[in-house]
Amino acid sequence: MALSFCGSNKCISNESISNKCVNAYSVDEGVLNNGCFVDALNLVPHVFLLFITFPILFIGWGSQSSKVQIHHNTWLHFPGHNLRWILTFSLLFVHVCEFAEGIVSNQNMDHLHLYMPAFMGFIAATTSVVYYHNIETSNFPKLLLVLFIYWVLAFITKSIKLWKYAEYNVGPQYLRFCITALLVILYALLMAVEMNVIRVRKYVFFTNPPKVKPPEDLQDLGVRFLQPFVNLLSKATYWWMNPLIIGAHKRPIELKKIGKLPIAMRALTNYLRLKDAYEDQRTAEDPCRPPSIWRSMYRAFGRPILLSSTFRYLADLLGFAGPLCILGIVKHLKDVYFGVHFMSSSMLLQNTSVLAVLLFLALVLQRTFLQASYYVTIETGINLRGALLAMIYNKILRLSTSNMSMGEMTLGQINNLVAIETNQLMWFLFLCPNLWAMPVQIVMGVILLYYFLGFSALVGASVIVLLAPIQYLVATKLADTQKSTLEYSTDRLKKTTEILKGIKLLKLYAWENIFCDSVEETRGKELTSLKTFALYTSISIFMNTAIPIAAVLVTFVMHHLIDKTDPSPSEAFAALALFHILVTPLFLLSTVVRFAVKALVRLVYHLDWNVYWILTWHLFSSVSHDAHSKNRHSVAYAAQKSWLLNATVEENITFGSPFSKQRYKAVIDACSLQPDIDLLPFGDQTEIGERGINLSGGQRQRICVARALYQNTNIVFLDDPFSALDIHLSDHLMQEGILKFLEDDKRTVVLVTHKLQYLIHADWIIAMKDGSVLREGTLKDIQTHDIELYDHWKTLMNKQDQDLEKDSQTTLERKTLRRAFYSREAKSQIDDEDEGKRFLVVTINSPSSPQVCWCYLSSGGYFMVFLMVFSKLLKHSVIVAIDYWLALWTSSKTSGTSPTDSISSMFIILCAAGITLCLITSLSVEFLGLSAATSLHHNLLNKIIHAPIRFFDITPLGQILNRFSADTNIIDQHIPPTLESLTRSTLLCLSAIGVISSITPAFLVALVPLAVAFYFIQKYFRVASKDLQDLDDSTQLPLLCHFSETAEGLTTIRAFRHEARFKQRMLELTDTNNTAYLFLSAANRWLEVRTDYLGAVIVLTAAGASIWSLRYGLPSGGLVGLGLTYALTVTNYLNWVVRNLADLEVQMSAVKKVKSFLSTESENYEGSMDTSQVPENWPQDGEIKIQDLCARYDPMLKPVLKHVNAYIKPGQKVGICGRTGSGKSSLSLAFFNMVDIFEGKIVIDGIDICKLPLQTLRSRLSIILQDPVLFSGSIRFNLDPERTCSDDRLWEALEIAQLKNMVKALPGGIDAVVTEGGENFSVGQRQLFCLARAFVRKSSIFIMDEATASIDMATENILQKVVMTAFADRTVVTIAHRVHTILTADLVIVMKRGNILEYDRPETLLEQADGMFASFVKADM
C-alpha cells in the first residue's frame, strides 16, 4: 500500500469508538476531530524551531556576538540550567517511546502521522538543546525567545491532542494517551524554566537587564579542570577531557597543561569549610562540650556523599533491567504482537525490538549514574583530604621542639598521617555508597531470582551467601601474609642497602658472594611468604570465578529435581545474568565492610583526638601569634643541625627574600661557596636536598649560614656554624662573613661556638654550663675575675691550634661532590634515554613493550607460560560450553524434544571441569608471577654485586635501590594480579564476541566499526593515563617532602617568621597533587563511560541481530538468551581490558628497568690462571713490581695512571701522596684489579695479578679504606664473615687494635650487636675495627687508603703504632692524607696527574727544598 501521511480510507474497530469506515482526510466532524490533522498540527512547532534555529546555528553568529570575553567556552549562567538538560533528556526519551508506539501501532506502515510528529519532535528537542548550549556559552540571551515561543506552541498543540483524546474517552489505559500527557507536562515545565530565565535575566520585556560577570575561576586562564562548569551532557560523558586525552598522544601531559583547581576544590577553601562546620557546633548553652569531628565532616561534605549514594542506587536498580529485558526478549521472540492504533503499555513491552532499545537505554543510564557516583565520591574524598592536610600542617607549624625531640611526634608519624591516614579516609568515603547500596542490590537480586525460578533459585543464592565468609577469611589471611612479606622485604632491602653502601669493601675483600648469600637467604623467607600470598590470592580469584558456576549448577539441578521440569530459556538466562550481578556485591561486601571497619577504627583514633587538637590549637595560637608578632625584631638564624629545602641553591640562600645580585655574590664569597657551586651540574640552579644532590655536612652548613647572612634582618643567630667546617673555612667565614659582612651591615650577631680561638673578636661572652650561665662579660673581664676558666680555655685553644686539618675536609667534600656530579650526569643521561624511549613509545606504539612482557613471562619458565595459556583457553572454552549446554537443555522443552539425562549429566560434568580449571588457572598465573619474580631478583642481585666498581661510581645509589625496592615490589605483588585480570577480562570479551557472532553472524558487520572505536579509545587513554599517573606520583613526593622538611626545620621557619609562606607552599603542593589525581580520576571515568557505552551498543546490536536473524529461523530462543547474557558481560569487562592494559604497561616499566640493569657487564672473575696453580700461601713475601702501568676506570675514559713504574721490596713501608686527582687512590685499586689495566702489569711475588681469578687475588690482600665500613650483625661477623678464624685469633686482632677491653665490656662480647653502619660506635672505633679486620686476614701485603683522614689524632696515633709493630713484617702501602703520617716510611712516592713525580726515601725528598713532597710537609706542619 502506498505511503501517505494520513493513510488510506479504513474501517477501524475499537472498544471506545463505534465501528465505521472513514475517509482519512475527512473534516466533516470538524478539523480538530480528525486525528491526522491534530497530528499534523503537532508538527508545526517542530518545523518552526528547525526553520528559525538552523540558519542561526550555521551562520555562526555566536563568535561575534559574545559580550564578555572569557578563556573557557563553558560559562553556564542561565538559571535552571541543569533542570533544563534533565527535562530535555526526558523529552527525548518520551519522543522515542512515542515513535516506537507509532511504529508498532501502525500494522500496515502507511500512516505517517502516527510516528512522523514523534520523529520531528525528537529532532526539534535535540536541536533545542544544541541551540540553548550555543546561546548560553556565547552569552546572547535575547535569542532564547525563539525557544520560549517553541515551548508555548508545543504545549498548546499537545494540549489540544490530549483534550481530544479525553473527549473521545481515550484514557490512561492506552499508551498513546499516557505519552501525550507526559509530553504536555514536560513542555509546561520547559516553558516555566524559560519564563524563569526571562524573569532573572530580563533580556526581553524589561528596560534595564542586569549585567552579569563570569565566575572568577573562568576568568583565570590557569584553571583547566572544567568538570564543575561544563553542561550536563559533558559532565556525564567527560567530553571536556577530549582535547587533553587526544592531545597526550602528540605531546606528553605536563603540569602546566592541567593547570590549577577551581577555587571550590582548593585545600584552603575546604579547610575553611570544615573549620566553619566545626565551629558552628559550639553553643552558648554548653561551651565546654567539644564539637564532633564526624558531624563537622558530614555538614561540610555530606551532601555530595548523599548525591553519590543516590546515583549509586539508581545505577544498581537500572542494572536489573538487563536480566528483565533478556527475559522479555527471549520469551516473546515467537509471539510478536503488532497491535491496533491504540495499544496498552504491556503490549508495547511485549515487542522484542522495543525491549532491545529499552535495554540499551537502561545500560547507558546505569553506567552514567555509576560513573557519576564514582566521580562525586572521589572528588569529595579529595576535598576532605585537602582540608585535613591543611589542618595537619597548621598543627605541625605550632608543634613545640620538645614534641619532636622527646618523641611525642616523630617524622614517621607525620609521614604516616599525611601519606596513609588521609588516603584511608578518602577511600573510606569512596566505599561509603557501597556499604548501603550493596545490601539493597543483594536483596533485589534474590527477590528476582525467586520470581524467575522459585525455591531452587534461593538454594543457588545460598551457595554464594554461605561461601562469602570463606572469602572474608581469605581476605583477612591475605592482609596478614602481606604484613609478614613486608617485614621480610624490609629486612632484605636493609641488607641490600648495606651491601651497596659497602660494595667497595666487599669487592676488595672478595666477600660479595657471602653477603649475596645472606640477601638470598632473606629473599628465600620473603618468597615463602609470597608463595602463601600467591596461594591465598589464587583461592580468592578461584572463588570469584568458580562460585557463579557452582551456583548455576546447584540452581538448575535443584530446579530439575524439585519441580520435575526444566526452566525456559528466558528464565534460565535471566537467572544467569542475575547470578553474575549478585556475585560481585556478595563477595565485595565482606571486603568493603572489613576495609571500612579497619579504616574507621584508625580514623576514629586519629580524628577524634588529633583533629580536635589541631583545630582548637590552631584557633588559640593564631590569636596569640597575631598579638605578639608585631613586637618581635627581625631575626635570621642558622641552626646547629643544618637544614635545607628541596630547592635550588639560590632559593635556599635567598629564602623568600628579594634577589640582589651584588648581595648574593658577597654572601657566596663570604661562605666560600663558589668552588662548590662550580662543581654542580647547573650551578646555583641545581636542586639540593632530598630530591637533589646530597651535599656533605660542611657544604650544607655553609649554605645555612649564607641564608642567615643574606637576610636583611637586625639580629643574626649563628648556632655553632663552624662545627662541620675545617680550620681554613672557619677562619674565612669568621673574617669575611661575620667580622666584615655582618659588621658592615651593622647587625647584631649572637654566635654559639666551641671554637674558642674566636672569643677575642666577641664584644660580650656568655659561658654556659648545664643549662645555666656560668660567667658573662668581656674576655678581659673573665681573664681578670675567673683565672681558672680562662686557663682552661687557653689549654683547649692550644689543642685546637694543633689540630692539623689543613687541605683535608673541604677537599674531601668537593671530591665527594664531584663524584655526585658524575652520578647526577649519568642519571640525567639515563633520564634522557628514558625520555627518548618515551617518545618512541608514543609515536610507534611501544615496540619494546611486547619484548619486555616476553622477558617477564620467560623469566617465569616456559612450562608455566604454557600452563597458564593452555589452562586459560581451556577454562574459557569450558565456561562457554557450560552456557551453550544450558541453552540446549532449556531450549529442548520449547522445541518439543524432552530433556534427556545425558544433557543434564553433561552439564554437571562441564560445571565440575570449569570449577577445577578455575583453580588451575588462578594458581598458574600467581605461581608464574612468583617464578618470574624469583628469577629476576636473583639475576639482578648477581649482576649488580658482580658489576665493576665504575658502575657504582656513575650510578646513583637511590637508582639502584629503587630496582630492589619499588620495582621488585611491583614485580612481586602487582604484576601477577594485573596479568590475571587482563587475561580473564580479555578472554571473557573475546569469548562473548565469538559466541554472539556464532549465534548471529550478522553481528560481525557491526563489529568492525565498534572494534575501530574501541581501538582508538584504548590507544588515546593508555598514553594519557600513563602521563597523568606519572604526574600524580611526581606531585605527591614534593608534598610529603614539604611536610617532613617543615617538621625538621621548625626552629628555622619560626625564627625567620616564614610560617605563612610555608603554609602557602603547602596549599599549592596539595592543590597540585589533587589536580593531578582528579584529572587521573576524570580520565578513568572518560574511559569507562566510553567503553560502557560501546558495551551497550554491542548489547543493542546483538539483540537487534538476534531478532532480525530469527525471522530466518537461525538461532533458537536459548541461544539468543546465551548471546544477550554474554553481551552484558562485555559491558562489565570492556573497560577492565583497557584499564588493566594501561596498568600492566606502567608496571612493565619496572621489568624494563630491571632488564636494563641485567645487561650490565660483570667483572671478569675467571682470570687466565686456574686457582689450583696459585700457591696457598701466596703472596708470601709481599714483593710488588709495577711495570709501565696504564689504567683507566672505563674504556671510554682517559687513563688515570700513565706508564707508572715502581718496585716495592718485601716488608717495605711505602707512602704515596699527591693532590686530589693525582691517581694515588687509583693505584691502590689497581693492586686489586678494580680498574681497567690496559697496558703494563703489576707483579706480586712473581705472578701477574691480571692473570689471577679476582676472588683469589682479592682474598689474599688486605686494605683499610678512608671511610670505615661496618655491617649490621655481630662484631664476629664484621671481623670474619667467612667464619674461618678461631676466637683466639679474633681476640688477638682486637687486642692489637686496642679494642679488646671495650669489646669485653659489651653484652655478648665478640658476639655483641653492631647496628646498621656501626652507628653504635664512634668513627675512631669503627676505623680500629677495620684495622682488626685487616689483621685477621694475615696477608703479607697491607694497604691503607687515606685511613686516617676522618679520625681524630688519638686514634691516628694508635693506628700508626699498630702498623709499625703488628705489621712490621708485612709490606704496607699507605695512601697519605696527612703527610706527616708517612715521614717514617721506607719509601715515598709523590704522584701528579697519574704519573710518578718523586720517588725516594722521605729524608732524601725533604732535602729538595723546591720539591713537591717538601712543600706538602711544610703545609702540614
Side-chain angles (χ1 to χ4, degrees):
M1 186 174 286
L3 194 68
S4 62
F5 185 77
C6 290
S8 57
N9 298 342
K10 192 171 182 181
C11 297
I12 60 171
S13 175
N14 193 280
E15 294 176 7
S16 306
I17 306 170
S18 58
N19 294 342
K20 56 181 178 179
C21 295
V22 295
N23 186 335
Y25 294 93
S26 171
V27 290
D28 294 343
E29 297 181 12
V31 174
L32 295 179
N33 290 323
N34 185 309
C36 180
F37 279 101
V38 174
D39 287 336
L41 187 64
N42 276 268
L43 276 173
V44 172
H46 309 323
V47 173
F48 161 78
L49 182 71
L50 297 175
F51 182 76
I52 298 294
T53 56
F54 264 64
I56 295 172
L57 287 172
F58 282 111
I59 288 168
W61 56 271
S63 59
Q64 298 175 1
S65 63
S66 180
K67 302 293 182 185
V68 183
Q69 294 299 319
I70 54 173
H71 175 61
H72 300 301
N73 194 24
T74 54
W75 185 23
L76 311 178
H77 53 287
F78 291 160
H81 170 87
N82 286 337
L83 179 61
R84 181 193 295 268
W85 277 85
I86 292 167
L87 291 172
T88 307
F89 283 133
S90 304
L91 185 65
L92 289 169
F93 176 72
V94 175
H95 276 312
V96 169
C97 293
E98 185 184 22
F99 181 77
E101 192 271 346
I103 291 287
V104 175
S105 299
N106 183 27
Q107 189 174 1
N108 297 320
M109 297 295 288
D110 59 345
H111 288 268
L112 282 174
H113 72 96
L114 291 178
Y115 52 86
M116 177 64 81
F119 176 74
M120 292 300 292
F122 184 87
I123 299 295
T126 306
T127 305
S128 75
V129 80
V130 173
Y131 180 77
Y132 167 78
H133 175 68
N134 279 275
I135 299 293
E136 185 172 35
T137 53
S138 301
N139 192 29
F140 203 72
K142 288 185 179 180
L143 288 176
L144 282 180
L145 193 61
V146 174
L147 285 181
F148 177 67
I149 295 168
Y150 169 64
W151 302 132
V152 171
L153 291 175
F155 173 74
I156 293 169
T157 54
K158 281 296 175 192
S159 297
I160 291 170
K161 188 174 182 179
L162 187 66
W163 167 51
K164 284 298 170 186
Y165 282 163
E167 193 177 293
Y168 277 83
N169 296 322
V170 178
Q173 70 270 30
Y174 296 108
L175 182 62
R176 198 176 302 172
F177 177 88
C178 297
I179 289 172
T180 307
L182 279 173
L183 287 171
V184 169
I185 293 168
L186 288 170
Y187 283 133
L189 290 171
L190 284 163
M191 188 168 62
V193 168
E194 212 64 71
M195 289 171 70
N196 187 51
V197 176
I198 295 172
R199 182 185 66 82
V200 174
R201 291 298 304 272
K202 301 178 181 178
Y203 61 85
V204 289
F205 314 129
F206 295 93
T207 52
N208 295 315
K211 291 183 179 180
V212 289
K213 192 177 180 182
E216 191 178 335
D217 287 319
L218 291 181
Q219 294 181 62
D220 187 346
L221 302 183
V223 175
R224 307 282 171 83
F225 190 80
L226 303 180
Q227 181 73 2
F229 310 112
V230 293
N231 62 62
L232 206 62
L233 184 63
S234 187
K235 265 190 177 76
T237 60
Y238 304 89
W239 192 264
W240 63 273
M241 287 282 290
N242 284 357
L244 182 82
I245 289 175
I246 294 168
H249 206 263
K250 297 174 183 175
R251 184 175 295 175
I253 299 172
E254 297 170 352
L255 267 178
K256 62 181 179 182
K257 193 179 277 189
I258 63 175
K260 296 185 292 189
L261 279 178
I263 293 168
M265 292 183 180
R266 290 176 192 169
L268 180 61
T269 309
N270 289 296
Y271 165 69
L272 294 173
R273 184 187 301 166
L274 183 59
K275 186 163 76 71
D276 290 344
Y278 189 85
E279 286 304 306
D280 288 345
Q281 294 179 60
R282 296 185 186 276
T283 57
E285 294 81 18
D286 192 4
C288 298
R289 184 184 175 186
S292 165
I293 184 63
W294 293 103
R295 192 170 294 152
S296 306
M297 286 165 57
Y298 175 75
R299 286 185 178 183
F301 304 104
R303 189 176 294 176
I305 292 296
L306 291 176
L307 178 65
S308 171
S309 301
T310 306
F311 286 150
R312 183 59 193 266
Y313 278 127
L314 289 169
D316 288 345
L317 291 173
L318 282 165
F320 293 111
L324 289 169
C325 287
I326 289 175
L327 178 77
I329 290 171
V330 177
K331 186 175 182 180
H332 299 294
L333 270 174
K334 297 193 176 180
D335 187 25
V336 178
Y337 173 72
F338 291 97
V340 293
H341 293 300
F342 290 90
M343 62 188 299
S344 66
S345 303
S346 60
M347 290 178 182
L348 183 73
L349 293 176
Q350 289 174 3
N351 185 281
T352 50
S353 300
V354 171
L355 285 172
V357 174
L358 284 176
L359 176 58
F360 168 74
L361 291 174
L363 282 173
V364 167
L365 277 174
Q366 184 223 353
R367 294 294 163 171
T368 304
F369 283 133
L370 189 64
Q371 298 307 327
S373 172
Y374 288 159
Y375 170 76
V376 171
T377 46
I378 288 172
E379 184 193 298
T380 309
I382 282 287
N383 289 341
L384 178 56
R385 175 174 171 262
L388 289 176
L389 287 176
M391 282 183 174
I392 294 164
Y393 195 79
N394 277 328
K395 175 58 194 168
I396 290 170
L397 283 176
R398 283 157 181 84
L399 279 175
S400 67
T401 48
S402 63
N403 289 134
M404 299 296 291
S405 59
M406 299 296 289
E408 291 176 27
M409 179 65 75
T410 64
L411 279 177
Q413 286 176 307
I414 290 169
N415 287 331
N416 188 56
L417 205 59
V418 173
I420 298 173
E421 303 300 343
T422 52
N423 284 335
Q424 288 272 16
L425 182 59
M426 189 174 73
W427 283 109
F428 173 72
L429 287 185
F430 181 72
L431 294 174
C432 273
N434 291 294
L435 285 172
W436 40 78
M438 281 181 174
V440 175
Q441 197 177 7
I442 291 165
V443 171
M444 282 289 295
V446 172
I447 291 169
L448 283 174
L449 273 173
Y450 181 75
Y451 171 73
F452 291 156
L453 297 174
F455 179 73
S456 59
L458 297 180
V459 178
S462 66
V463 171
I464 305 174
V465 174
L466 290 172
L467 289 172
I470 298 175
Q471 182 76 351
Y472 176 81
L473 183 66
V474 169
T476 307
K477 292 288 184 185
L478 267 173
D480 294 340
T481 311
Q482 199 161 21
K483 280 182 188 174
S484 64
T485 306
L486 183 62
E487 287 170 9
Y488 291 128
S489 178
T490 306
D491 192 24
R492 170 183 58 80
L493 193 60
K494 178 186 167 186
K495 289 185 176 181
T496 308
T497 306
E498 281 197 318
I499 286 176
L500 293 173
K501 284 182 176 177
I503 190 67
K504 189 175 181 181
L505 179 83
L506 295 184
K507 285 184 170 293
L508 290 166
Y509 273 79
W511 287 345
E512 307 102 302
N513 294 333
I514 297 168
F515 280 77
C516 187
D517 291 342
S518 173
V519 173
E520 290 284 18
E521 184 186 347
T522 310
R523 176 65 174 170
K525 293 175 185 174
E526 185 185 7
L527 288 171
T528 304
S529 186
L530 280 170
K531 280 177 188 172
T532 311
F533 185 82
L535 183 64
Y536 284 128
T537 306
S538 301
I539 292 170
S540 180
I541 294 166
F542 158 69
M543 292 181 77
N544 276 322
T545 51
I547 286 179
I549 301 172
V552 168
L553 173 63
V554 170
T555 300
F556 291 118
V557 169
M558 287 298 292
H559 193 280
H560 182 71
L561 294 173
I562 295 170
D563 298 346
K564 304 299 180 185
T565 59
D566 298 323
S568 66
S570 59
E571 293 168 341
F573 285 100
L576 191 64
L578 272 173
F579 276 124
H580 283 297
I581 290 172
L582 269 180
V583 167
T584 305
L586 273 169
F587 279 143
L588 280 182
L589 186 61
S590 60
T591 309
V592 166
V593 169
R594 179 177 160 275
F595 183 88
V597 169
K598 183 182 171 185
L600 204 59
V601 169
R602 295 175 73 174
L603 291 168
V604 165
Y605 173 74
H606 283 289
L607 290 176
D608 278 344
W609 295 99
N610 287 345
V611 178
Y612 171 67
W613 186 33
I614 288 163
L615 280 164
T616 51
W617 187 277
H618 170 65
L619 294 169
F620 170 75
S621 55
S622 293
V623 174
S624 60
H625 175 71
D626 291 341
H628 294 90
S629 61
K630 293 177 184 176
N631 298 325
R632 291 170 63 183
H633 294 285
S634 55
V635 172
Y637 173 67
Q640 182 178 14
K641 183 183 176 184
S642 55
W643 172 74
L644 297 181
L645 291 171
N646 291 319
T648 63
V649 176
E650 182 189 300
E651 287 166 343
N652 267 284
I653 293 172
T654 57
F655 203 60
S657 296
F659 181 78
S660 165
K661 190 174 181 181
Q662 185 179 353
R663 186 178 183 81
Y664 181 75
K665 178 78 168 60
V667 168
I668 292 288
D669 291 341
C671 298
S672 302
L673 279 169
Q674 196 58 50
D676 303 278
I677 289 172
D678 291 340
L679 290 173
L680 295 171
F682 308 110
D684 60 2
Q685 298 306 308
T686 305
E687 278 199 357
I688 54 175
E690 290 297 320
R691 289 180 291 128
I693 289 175
N694 290 317
L695 305 177
S696 68
Q699 289 155 342
R700 293 167 68 93
Q701 186 77 63
R702 282 180 285 138
I703 290 174
C704 291
V705 173
R707 177 196 297 149
L709 266 58
Y710 184 83
Q711 307 305 308
N712 192 13
T713 58
N714 298 330
I715 304 168
V716 179
F717 281 94
L718 301 175
D719 188 356
D720 206 4
F722 310 117
S723 59
L725 307 184
D726 64 26
I727 197 76
H728 276 311
L729 284 177
S730 297
D731 284 344
H732 183 85
L733 179 60
M734 188 69 198
Q735 295 297 328
E736 299 296 322
I738 297 172
L739 297 178
K740 185 179 177 185
F741 185 85
L742 290 177
E743 282 195 8
D744 287 351
D745 270 5
K746 297 180 180 177
R747 294 156 77 183
T748 302
V749 182
V750 178
L751 175 66
V752 180
T753 184
H754 295 285
K755 303 280 185 179
L756 302 177
Q757 63 265 39
Y758 301 131
L759 291 179
I760 56 172
H761 302 295
D763 298 318
W764 192 259
I765 298 168
I766 301 173
M768 304 284 295
K769 186 177 182 181
D770 298 329
S772 59
V773 176
L774 181 65
R775 178 72 63 184
E776 62 177 313
T778 63
L779 187 61
K780 192 172 181 180
D781 292 339
I782 294 170
Q783 184 180 356
T784 308
H785 298 104
D786 197 336
I787 299 168
E788 187 182 344
L789 178 63
Y790 182 76
D791 289 341
H792 177 61
W793 284 358
K794 201 170 182 182
T795 307
L796 289 174
M797 278 191 268
N798 290 334
K799 282 186 180 178
Q800 287 176 353
D801 288 339
Q802 292 166 10
D803 188 11
L804 301 173
E805 297 179 284
K806 296 178 183 178
D807 193 32
S808 60
Q809 197 167 341
T810 311
T811 308
L812 271 173
E813 287 173 353
R814 285 172 183 159
K815 189 196 297 184
T816 307
L817 188 60
R818 193 178 290 111
R819 285 173 185 159
F821 164 64
Y822 292 144
S823 298
R824 178 66 171 235
E825 203 170 37
K827 185 174 185 292
S828 302
Q829 189 178 353
I830 290 164
D831 288 345
D832 290 343
E833 288 171 7
D834 281 351
E835 193 65 24
K837 289 171 187 171
R838 161 75 174 79
F839 282 109
L840 194 67
V841 168
V842 171
T843 52
I844 61 173
N845 206 19
S846 183
S848 60
S849 290
Q851 295 169 12
V852 175
C853 196
W854 176 245
C855 169
Y856 173 79
L857 292 172
S858 58
S859 299
Y862 294 110
F863 172 74
M864 291 301 297
V865 174
F866 169 76
L867 181 64
M868 182 195 76
V869 173
F870 180 74
S871 62
K872 281 271 181 186
L873 291 172
L874 191 60
K875 182 191 91 169
H876 285 277
S877 303
V878 169
I879 289 172
V880 170
I882 290 167
D883 295 334
Y884 180 75
W885 220 260
L886 182 63
L888 290 181
W889 188 8
T890 54
S891 297
S892 60
K893 183 176 81 168
T894 54
S895 61
T897 60
S898 59
T900 60
D901 289 337
S902 60
I903 293 180
S904 56
S905 301
M906 191 64 188
F907 180 72
I908 294 168
I909 292 166
L910 284 171
C911 285
I915 291 169
T916 307
L917 284 166
C918 284
L919 181 60
I920 293 170
T921 53
S922 59
L923 285 169
S924 66
V925 174
E926 287 298 321
F927 281 88
L928 167 70
L930 191 63
S931 179
T934 306
S935 173
L936 286 169
H937 181 273
H938 174 77
N939 294 339
L940 176 67
L941 182 63
N942 277 280
K943 271 289 181 185
I944 295 293
I945 213 162
H946 294 120
I949 198 69
R950 171 68 181 164
F951 171 80
F952 300 96
D953 288 339
I954 64 170
T955 312
L957 177 65
Q959 195 176 355
I960 303 171
L961 280 174
N962 269 339
R963 301 299 88 83
F964 287 100
S965 54
D967 294 334
T968 298
N969 181 54
I970 288 170
I971 293 167
D972 285 351
Q973 297 190 30
H974 294 272
I975 293 180
T978 306
L979 184 64
E980 197 284 329
S981 182
L982 175 63
T983 51
R984 179 159 47 90
S985 50
T986 303
L987 287 170
L988 273 167
C989 290
L990 290 175
S991 58
I993 289 166
V995 166
I996 299 166
S997 303
S998 63
I999 293 169
T1000 51
F1003 174 74
L1004 289 169
V1005 177
L1007 188 62
V1008 176
L1010 291 173
V1012 170
F1014 177 74
Y1015 169 76
F1016 281 106
I1017 288 169
Q1018 63 85 30
K1019 176 184 176 184
Y1020 290 126
F1021 171 78
R1022 279 163 53 201
V1023 176
S1025 173
K1026 185 178 183 301
D1027 287 346
L1028 290 169
Q1029 185 70 61
D1030 290 345
L1031 280 180
D1032 180 42
D1033 294 340
S1034 63
T1035 54
Q1036 194 169 23
L1037 183 62
L1039 177 62
L1040 295 176
C1041 287
H1042 187 72
F1043 269 85
S1044 58
E1045 75 184 13
T1046 300
E1048 286 178 330
L1050 275 175
T1051 49
T1052 304
I1053 295 167
R1054 286 177 187 151
F1056 281 86
R1057 291 193 292 164
H1058 278 203
E1059 294 96 332
R1061 184 168 72 87
F1062 274 77
K1063 200 182 297 182
Q1064 182 60 37
R1065 178 64 180 153
M1066 184 280 305
L1067 292 171
E1068 288 170 3
L1069 290 170
T1070 303
D1071 289 338
T1072 303
N1073 181 234
N1074 286 351
T1075 307
Y1077 190 88
L1078 277 167
F1079 266 101
L1080 180 61
S1081 174
N1084 288 333
R1085 304 286 80 76
W1086 180 92
L1087 166 75
E1088 290 181 12
V1089 162
R1090 275 149 189 76
T1091 50
D1092 289 344
Y1093 289 176
L1094 267 183
V1097 172
I1098 288 172
V1099 172
L1100 178 65
T1101 311
S1106 300
I1107 295 163
W1108 180 79
S1109 300
L1110 196 72
R1111 296 181 180 179
Y1112 301 94
L1114 291 178
S1116 66
L1119 291 177
V1120 170
L1122 176 65
L1124 290 176
T1125 306
Y1126 269 78
L1128 281 176
T1129 61
V1130 172
T1131 312
N1132 292 326
Y1133 288 105
L1134 206 56
N1135 69 76
W1136 280 109
V1137 172
V1138 186
R1139 286 281 292 276
N1140 288 324
L1141 194 60
D1143 288 346
L1144 191 67
E1145 208 167 30
V1146 172
Q1147 289 164 7
M1148 278 296 166
S1149 65
V1151 179
K1152 190 176 181 181
K1153 289 171 187 173
V1154 168
K1155 189 184 173 208
S1156 69
F1157 273 37
L1158 292 178
S1159 60
T1160 304
E1161 192 176 338
S1162 299
E1163 286 186 286
N1164 180 16
Y1165 276 78
E1166 298 301 320
S1168 56
M1169 284 180 71
D1170 192 74
T1171 311
S1172 59
Q1173 296 176 283
V1174 184
E1176 282 188 19
N1177 59 353
W1178 181 92
Q1180 188 173 8
D1181 302 323
E1183 180 191 49
I1184 303 172
K1185 294 178 182 176
I1186 305 172
Q1187 300 173 357
D1188 201 32
L1189 180 68
C1190 295
R1192 58 196 172 194
Y1193 281 97
D1194 190 88
M1196 305 296 291
L1197 298 174
K1198 293 177 181 177
V1200 288
L1201 297 174
K1202 305 165 190 173
H1203 305 288
V1204 174
N1205 289 281
Y1207 175 66
I1208 299 171
K1209 297 174 184 177
Q1212 203 170 25
K1213 307 296 179 283
V1214 181
I1216 303 175
C1217 62
R1219 294 190 186 279
T1220 302
S1222 61
K1224 54 188 188 296
S1225 289
S1226 301
L1227 182 58
S1228 69
L1229 292 177
F1231 292 134
F1232 294 83
N1233 200 5
M1234 285 183 70
V1235 289
D1236 177 25
I1237 299 174
F1238 63 94
E1239 195 175 324
K1241 59 185 177 179
I1242 298 176
V1243 179
I1244 297 178
D1245 280 5
I1247 298 177
D1248 183 353
I1249 64 166
C1250 291
K1251 294 179 180 178
L1252 288 168
L1254 287 182
Q1255 196 78 12
T1256 305
L1257 168 66
R1258 294 172 183 173
S1259 64
R1260 306 288 179 90
L1261 306 178
S1262 287
I1263 187 170
I1264 298 182
L1265 293 173
Q1266 174 185 337
D1267 298 315
V1269 178
L1270 294 182
F1271 301 98
S1272 59
S1274 63
I1275 294 173
R1276 182 192 299 277
F1277 176 74
N1278 273 279
L1279 297 181
D1280 178 32
E1282 296 167 294
R1283 299 188 182 278
T1284 56
C1285 298
S1286 64
D1287 281 13
D1288 292 341
R1289 188 166 166 188
L1290 296 179
W1291 282 115
E1292 182 191 0
L1294 289 170
E1295 189 173 12
I1296 285 170
Q1298 298 190 17
L1299 290 169
K1300 186 175 180 179
N1301 293 332
M1302 187 269 290
V1303 173
K1304 270 190 172 181
L1306 294 172
I1310 205 166
D1311 293 307
V1313 173
V1314 178
T1315 58
E1316 188 175 355
E1319 291 295 330
N1320 54 335
F1321 297 105
S1322 69
V1323 177
Q1325 287 172 329
R1326 278 180 252 167
Q1327 194 64 286
L1328 291 175
F1329 274 118
C1330 293
L1331 176 66
R1333 176 197 289 152
F1335 183 80
V1336 166
R1337 181 157 274 194
K1338 294 286 187 187
S1339 171
S1340 63
I1341 295 177
F1342 175 54
I1343 294 158
M1344 294 172 63
D1345 185 3
E1346 299 186 325
T1348 61
S1350 57
I1351 59 176
D1352 56 67
M1353 298 292 287
T1355 311
E1356 183 182 338
N1357 291 335
I1358 295 170
L1359 205 61
Q1360 294 298 330
K1361 184 181 175 184
V1362 171
V1363 169
M1364 296 304 293
T1365 55
F1367 295 91
D1369 58 337
R1370 306 189 194 185
T1371 303
V1372 179
V1373 178
T1374 304
I1375 310 297
H1377 187 72
R1378 294 169 176 165
V1379 186
H1380 69 270
T1381 59
I1382 58 170
L1383 289 175
T1384 57
D1386 301 321
L1387 175 67
V1388 168
I1389 299 173
V1390 182
M1391 300 196 68
K1392 184 179 180 181
R1393 295 178 184 173
N1395 296 298
I1396 292 179
L1397 190 66
E1398 296 176 5
Y1399 177 90
D1400 213 326
R1401 292 181 61 80
E1403 297 85 357
T1404 309
L1405 294 176
L1406 282 171
E1407 291 172 2
Q1408 302 170 12
D1410 57 346
M1412 186 171 280
F1413 182 71
S1415 67
F1416 285 163
V1417 174
K1418 285 176 189 174
D1420 201 28
M1421 286 302 188

